[in-house]
Amino acid sequence: MKDIPAYGLWSLVIINSLIFIIFAFSFTKPKSPRDWRSFGAFSAFIVALFTEMYGFPLTLYLLSGWLQTRFPKLDIFSHDAGHLWWTLLGWKGDPHLNPIHLLSNVFIFGGLIYLGSAWEVLYKAQRSHTLATSGPYATIRHPQYVAFILIMFGFLLQWPTILTLLMFPVLVWMYTRLARQEEREVRAEFGAEYDRYASNTPAFFPRLGDTIKRSNT
């Protein structure tokens, strides 16, 4: 097993990137320049992530001196070492089964499910030229952007890299800005109807009381 390279696996970079990009594309179906910016930013994050996960471990390379000093017996460029939380906390066993990695899966797959449910509602609303207010849109106004952020945050927990850590706050700012632009466009189309919806529905964080109420109905 030690003869199997941990990196330079560019076929895995391409395959894994395409899986998540195509999945996101199948739900988002970008049409406008705003949609393409949103989708393109997410795609860039995914490619950067899997490039370091299977291609070239830039973060491990940059931190190799410090890691080698702190963990002299660690095989710095092994795939397991790339699970930085597992490495830094000194955990043993399979890094894929550590609590942080398992939590990251909750964010990633929960975000994917949330994205799918949000875009199903939005797609139907767009076809009928109505306002999307059901499903995830009943609790927040921008569930599609929240879903992208949840997925990216999950990957940050699972495989933190210097590049994706730098990209994440920029992308969160970008999605927030896109959401505001989208609100102006929807308000121009639906007017008072959207104002009533916006006054009762938070933008990004659901009200706890409303969430509990809906779960009991």
Side-chain angles (χ1 to χ4, degrees):
M1 295 292 293
K2 291 185 178 180
D3 294 333
I4 300 176
Y7 297 99
L9 305 174
W10 296 105
S11 60
L12 288 180
V13 174
I14 294 171
I15 291 170
N16 281 279
S17 297
L18 285 176
I19 287 173
F20 283 94
I21 291 172
I22 291 173
F23 183 89
F25 182 85
S26 68
F27 285 109
T28 59
K29 296 181 176 63
K31 296 178 181 179
S32 68
R34 182 190 65 240
D35 294 338
W36 280 108
R37 287 196 297 271
S38 170
F39 178 73
F42 176 78
S43 300
F45 181 92
I46 292 297
V47 171
L49 170 82
F50 285 115
T51 295
E52 288 215 39
M53 190 178 291
Y54 297 113
F56 179 76
L58 177 63
T59 299
L60 288 178
Y61 179 79
L62 295 175
L63 298 179
S64 59
W66 177 77
L67 288 172
Q68 197 71 68
T69 301
R70 185 169 180 180
F71 306 99
K73 296 182 179 180
L74 179 68
D75 181 0
I76 297 297
F77 295 107
S78 67
H79 188 76
D80 285 353
H83 295 265
L84 284 179
W85 292 119
W86 177 83
T87 300
L88 296 176
L89 295 173
W91 284 336
K92 305 298 181 183
D94 188 342
H96 299 90
L97 299 178
N98 76 68
I100 293 179
H101 193 284
L102 295 176
L103 178 61
S104 74
N105 287 332
V106 174
F107 280 102
I108 293 168
F109 292 104
L112 289 170
I113 293 171
Y114 195 52
L115 177 64
S117 61
W119 278 98
E120 181 181 2
V121 173
L122 184 60
Y123 177 70
K124 292 179 180 178
Q126 288 175 338
R127 292 196 64 181
S128 60
H129 300 287
T130 57
L131 190 62
T133 58
S134 61
Y137 286 90
T139 54
I140 58 175
R141 302 199 299 274
H142 303 287
Q144 73 278 26
Y145 296 130
V146 171
F148 278 128
I149 292 171
L150 288 174
I151 296 167
M152 291 187 296
F153 180 73
F155 275 124
L156 279 181
L157 283 180
Q158 184 173 123
W159 198 277
T161 73
I162 292 174
L163 183 57
T164 53
L165 281 171
L166 292 173
M167 292 176 68
F168 183 74
V170 175
L171 293 177
V172 171
W173 172 82
M174 177 180 175
Y175 284 130
T176 303
R177 187 167 176 268
L178 288 172
R180 300 309 182 196
Q181 292 176 355
E182 183 179 281
E183 286 191 343
R184 289 193 291 269
E185 294 173 6
V186 176
R187 181 173 281 109
E189 181 177 358
F190 292 99
E193 182 183 0
Y194 184 77
D195 288 335
R196 287 192 297 271
Y197 167 68
S199 65
N200 294 316
T201 311
F204 302 105
F205 300 99
R207 298 188 184 99
L208 182 59
D210 291 346
T211 303
I212 294 174
K213 187 184 300 183
R214 286 187 176 91
S215 65
N216 292 330
T217 58

